[in-house]
Each structure stands twice: as structure tokens, then as C-alpha cells.
Amino acid sequence: MERIILKNIHPAAYNPRILSKRASQELKESISRLGIVKPILINAENNTIIAGHQRSKTLIALGYNEAPGYYLKGLNESDEIRFNQLHNMCEVEVNVDAPKLHINDTLTIGINRISYEKIYVKDKGKLFTFVNAIGKLITKFGEFAAPVVTENGEVVTSSVYAYAAKMLGRDIDVFVIPEGNKNLAIQYFSKQYGEFSYEHLPKKTYIQSLAQMKRLRHNDDIHKDNKSTLYEKMVLPYLKTQIRNKNLRILDFGAGQYDYAKKLKREGYDITMIDPYHRPNNTSSAIDYLGNQKTYQLICDDIQNKGLYDVVICDSVLNSVDSVKAEESVIKSVFGLCKQSGMVFISGRPFKAGNKQAKNASRYYADSLVHYFDKNGFTGMYRNGEWFYQRFHKDYEVRRIGEYISNSPVIKIGNNSWQVMAIKDVEHSQEEIIDALMFEFSLPLPNGKKYDFADKIKNAYENRKMS
């Protein structure tokens, strides 16, 4: 561990965590009462803060000039961001499922160096995923944490880190506090100082399509064909019940790789499919801009000459939006493009899907494992130099989506996905529907371009054929 000069380091622009005024005050109180008992992590190559943004800011506000920490070497920006996320995910402070450890050594107040052989494991706990993740970080980047330990040797915080270090045969630093401060440490380190927020991070909506799934392609994977639950459980059964189903005008809005839409087209259904970021064969090839332009124009002509659609399908689109505005626009557009008394099918991913591996774990563990949720249910992952976002919905949010469309929606919420089937029987203002459609028909493209159909869809909707 080294002494970090605070004026020489700077925050990372990508840091997804923000601190409320209340959390900031609690952090100040914890530092004032316990002292600095958690290190700051710095990229040695550029003095960028990897972890400890809120602590460093608070320390400066309290008048500190330096703080204990670690300089990590060999990180590029992708490594920094991934480390930041994994560190925030894995460094569980106080958790009932964490390992129970004891330091069998003579300790003095302050920073102590401890041999891994002196770490005694009383209970391995249940956070094995965390232990594995921490172990990978230690192996790749070296030391980066220092557990808080009482004078009597009880490990109060970061026991996951200490356990991983022991398994790897790595010595560790620890902050030793007076025995009388144990409950105070538990009180402060049971809190989460900061929450994830992705609103300030860059968004390239068009790269979200790189995560689109191939459907119904048996030769691609001998074990599964990635069937759509929405289509298989709701859309296809519904169509089979309709006497003149081939006369229904169907729109698949956000059709991905078009697999199910093409299946229906081959079977003789009158279906139009659109995905603004459709990439042929789901490769990294260019977006089918010209093809999408033709389809956008087709939809505009269609609703002006024939009216709104009998059936609108929106499968696994809401889990790929990157903002609240984008989500609202999709929902309102799907509603708006369906005729009154028509049928809407829509699906997404439930909040519990992001936590399914932590089904029986503590609340903190469940909210932290795998995904990093902000207050709006979004997660962000940095891969290959880009941010990718996902939206997960809680049960009440799914119900709210269904009730926006219908007074009596059919809602199914499973472990991995949710589905809504709803007869459009409510009304919303034409103004809000047009605003949403204009947003969806002018989505951004690479190189600063965008689709230019906002005015066309507005005109088409305002002059649509009434059924």
C-alpha cells in the first residue's frame, strides 16, 4: 500500500456511480469517526481513479491531502472500466453470506501486513462467485484491497477479498481498528455509498443490435434454436385461433434478425417487419440502411392508405433500449401503430433475470451479481471499447406497460422473460403518440447520421385511413 497524493489524481469520465447528498454526509461521518480504512485504487499509467471516486472527493472536502491506496499497472481503458465494475460488484463489505474469517496474529491499530497463513477460515460463506471474481482480479492486477479487522483479529469488511487472497497464497494489508469500533464499522460499511447511473455515459444506440439473437436456426446450435417465448406462447397460438388470420395486417416492430417474421411471411401472413439496426446474418456488417428506409416508407404509406395494424409485435426490444426516453417511445409507438381493438404483443426481461444466480442470496448480493442496476433498471457493460445497455423490469413495471395498452392485459412473468398480450382498448393523446413515432422514425446512425422519417410518419399518422 502506498500514500496517494489526492491533488495528483483525477476521476474517470466513465465512472457510473453517483452519490446523493445523504450518502455523501454519511461517508463524511464514517471517515471522521473511523478514519481512512479503505484504499483508493489508481491506474499507475495515467493517475486515473479506478475505484474510490466518492472517497477521494469526500477526503478532499474534509481537508485531507493524501490517502492510502494502490497503484495498479498494465491497465488500458477497457481494463479500467471492467475493473471498476468488478470491484464495485465484488468488494462486498458487510454481508451475512460472506466468509467468516479471523486473523491469528498480533495486531496493532493502523495498517498491518498479514501473511496469508495467518488468515483462519471459520466459515467459507456462500459468495463463491465473488471469491472467484476477486481471485481473478488479484491474479491479473495484484493487491487492491485491505480488509478492516478488529484488534482481536475478527475480519469485519472485505472478507471475500481476504478469503480469495488466502486461496491464492497472497499476503494482504489490513486496517486494524479498536475493538470498541466494531459495531460502528459494521454500521457504516453496511451502507452503499453511491448508486449506478448511466445517464451521463455515451450511447450509440445502433450498436445495441450487435446483441440480437438468431432465432429458429437449428444448424447454428445443435442444443437449442433460441425460440421466442412471446411468439411460441402467445403470438402463434393467437394467430391460430383467428378464423381469417391471413387477412390480418401484422407489424413486427423491432424484429431483430427477422426470423419469426419471415416464418410467418412464408406461411402466407401479411406481415411487415422493421428493425432500424438490422444487420444481415447478425454479423458486424453494415446496417441495412437502404432496406430499412424502404420499410419505413412502406409503413408510412401503409397506415396512410390502409390504416393502423391489426396486430403489433414487439419482441425483446424493451430489454435493449438505452434510455428512459427510448423505452417510452417504443411502448407508445407500439400502442399507436395498432388499431383500436387490435392486439399488441410485447416482451422484455424481468429484474430477477439479472439475479437468477443469486436466488437464495442476500439482497445486496442479488442486486450486485452480474448486473449493475441504476434507479431506472438499466445496466451497463463496457465491451470492446463500447458501452452496451440492458433494461430489466420489475413486476409492477411490466403491469404498468400492459395497462398502458389495455384495461385487461394478459401478463406472464417468468424467470428469464416477461410477456404481455393486450387488446388495445384505451385511449392516449395523439400528440404523445406522434412524438414517440417521430423519435422512433429518426433514430441515430453511425457517423452522425440518422433516419429522416420523422415528418413522414407524423403526416402519415395524422392522415391515416380510419377503420
Side-chain angles (χ1 to χ4, degrees):
M1 195 181 302
E2 302 181 50
R3 306 304 297 180
I4 308 295
I5 306 302
L6 295 175
K7 69 178 182 180
N8 294 339
I9 61 177
H10 58 86
Y14 58 75
N15 181 45
R17 292 181 74 86
I18 59 175
L19 199 66
S20 67
K21 290 183 179 179
R22 179 177 179 180
S24 178
Q25 183 59 38
E26 290 176 339
L27 184 54
K28 288 180 181 178
E29 291 176 3
S30 73
I31 293 173
S32 298
R33 300 182 70 179
L34 290 173
I36 307 173
V37 291
K38 193 171 182 181
I40 295 171
L41 309 185
I42 308 297
N43 185 336
E45 306 299 326
N46 54 25
N47 283 333
T48 299
I49 301 172
I50 302 170
H53 290 80
Q54 313 305 338
R55 290 194 301 280
S56 60
K57 186 188 302 182
T58 302
L59 289 170
I60 291 173
L62 290 172
Y64 286 87
N65 296 317
E66 59 181 32
Y70 295 96
Y71 283 102
L72 303 183
K73 299 179 180 179
L75 291 81
N76 55 34
E77 186 179 49
S78 294
D79 290 331
E80 277 187 24
I81 293 173
R82 185 60 177 154
F83 189 98
N84 175 282
Q85 290 188 312
L86 284 173
H87 181 270
N88 282 318
M89 177 187 79
C90 296
E91 197 180 31
V92 181
E93 299 301 351
V94 177
N95 189 302
V96 296
D97 294 321
K100 305 297 186 295
L101 308 178
H102 192 273
I103 306 300
N104 293 335
D105 203 355
T106 302
L107 303 171
T108 58
I109 302 299
I111 299 174
N112 290 229
R113 187 69 177 172
I114 302 297
S115 166
Y116 73 91
E117 295 177 331
K118 298 294 184 178
I119 302 173
Y120 173 67
V121 181
K122 299 168 65 176
D123 184 340
K124 294 180 180 179
K126 300 178 181 178
L127 306 185
F128 302 114
T129 301
F130 280 173
V131 173
N132 180 56
I134 287 283
K136 290 179 179 179
L137 292 178
I138 295 173
T139 301
K140 185 172 183 179
F141 300 109
E143 294 181 61
F144 62 84
V148 173
V149 179
T150 67
E151 284 181 281
N152 293 335
E154 182 179 351
V155 177
V156 180
T157 73
S158 300
S159 61
V160 171
Y161 176 88
Y163 184 39
K166 179 176 177 61
M167 295 298 98
L168 292 171
R170 301 288 188 96
D171 297 343
I172 63 173
D173 294 318
V174 299
F175 289 102
V176 178
I177 61 173
E179 192 69 28
N181 283 351
K182 171 187 170 182
N183 290 334
L184 190 63
I186 292 174
Q187 173 189 330
Y188 283 117
F189 285 101
S190 296
K191 302 176 183 294
Q192 294 189 55
Y193 296 103
E195 60 184 30
F196 284 101
S197 175
Y198 303 102
E199 295 177 359
H200 65 292
L201 297 179
K203 294 179 174 63
K204 295 181 180 179
T205 305
Y206 47 84
I207 69 171
Q208 296 286 107
S209 63
L210 294 175
Q212 288 176 346
M213 295 179 66
K214 297 178 182 179
R215 304 281 195 184
L216 305 176
R217 304 188 189 187
H218 307 274
N219 294 330
D220 288 344
D221 189 330
I222 61 174
H223 299 296
K224 59 182 180 179
D225 52 12
N226 289 326
K227 290 184 177 180
S228 161
T229 302
L230 181 69
Y231 262 96
E232 296 291 336
K233 300 295 185 180
M234 288 187 170
V235 177
L236 299 181
Y238 168 78
L239 292 177
K240 289 179 181 179
T241 66
Q242 303 305 297
I243 298 175
R244 303 181 66 183
N245 53 20
K246 300 299 172 63
N247 293 331
L248 294 173
R249 292 172 51 246
I250 306 170
L251 174 65
D252 191 330
F253 191 77
Q257 288 298 302
Y258 298 171
D259 296 302
Y260 272 96
K262 287 180 178 179
K263 167 184 167 64
L264 291 181
K265 178 74 77 174
R266 289 193 299 269
E267 294 175 0
Y269 286 92
D270 180 8
I271 183 168
T272 300
M273 61 202 87
I274 180 65
D275 191 292
Y277 304 124
H278 174 65
R279 300 169 189 264
N281 301 318
N282 196 25
T283 67
S284 59
S285 62
I287 294 167
D288 186 14
Y289 174 66
L290 294 178
N292 288 335
Q293 278 193 311
K294 292 179 181 179
T295 306
Y296 275 131
Q297 186 62 57
L298 172 64
I299 293 172
C300 292
D301 294 339
D302 211 21
I303 64 175
Q304 189 163 356
N305 297 325
K306 299 179 181 179
L308 300 175
Y309 293 91
D310 299 298
V311 178
V312 179
I313 303 162
C314 185
D315 188 18
S316 300
V317 175
L318 291 185
N319 50 280
S320 296
V321 296
D322 58 13
S323 69
V324 172
K325 172 66 173 176
E327 177 185 40
E328 292 176 346
S329 295
V330 169
I331 296 169
K332 292 176 181 179
S333 293
V334 167
F335 173 90
L337 291 168
C338 183
K339 72 177 186 181
Q340 198 67 13
S341 299
M343 186 67 76
V344 171
F345 297 91
I346 192 165
S347 69
R349 299 198 70 195
F351 192 79
K352 57 189 173 184
N355 300 320
K356 62 181 180 179
Q357 296 182 47
K359 182 178 179 181
N360 299 314
S362 68
R363 180 180 181 278
Y364 183 97
Y365 180 33
D367 286 350
S368 302
L369 182 65
V370 183
H371 298 286
Y372 319 95
F373 295 100
D374 71 4
K375 64 181 180 180
N376 295 315
F378 285 91
T379 69
M381 291 294 290
Y382 192 78
R383 299 195 303 267
N384 301 320
E386 303 287 358
W387 281 98
F388 290 82
Y389 304 94
Q390 276 197 300
R391 171 71 159 102
F392 293 83
H393 295 85
K394 294 185 177 180
D395 291 2
Y396 77 89
E397 293 177 309
V398 177
R399 289 193 294 272
R400 187 171 61 195
I401 292 170
E403 290 165 359
Y404 181 85
I405 301 166
S406 173
N407 287 310
S408 54
V410 175
I411 297 172
K412 302 292 183 182
I413 302 176
N415 290 326
N416 295 310
S417 65
W418 56 262
Q419 303 84 40
V420 170
M421 178 172 69
I423 297 174
K424 178 179 172 179
D425 58 6
V426 298
E427 296 283 351
H428 295 292
S429 75
Q430 178 165 291
E431 181 180 6
E432 69 175 280
I433 300 304
I434 289 177
D435 284 346
L437 288 169
M438 292 179 70
F439 180 93
E440 288 298 315
F441 280 65
S442 60
L443 290 172
L445 291 161
N447 302 316
K449 298 180 180 181
K450 65 177 183 178
Y451 287 107
D452 188 23
F453 283 85
D455 290 337
K456 292 179 181 179
I457 189 63
K458 178 177 183 293
N459 179 69
Y461 194 80
E462 290 176 337
N463 297 285
R464 66 191 181 276
K465 181 178 179 180
M466 305 304 289
S467 56

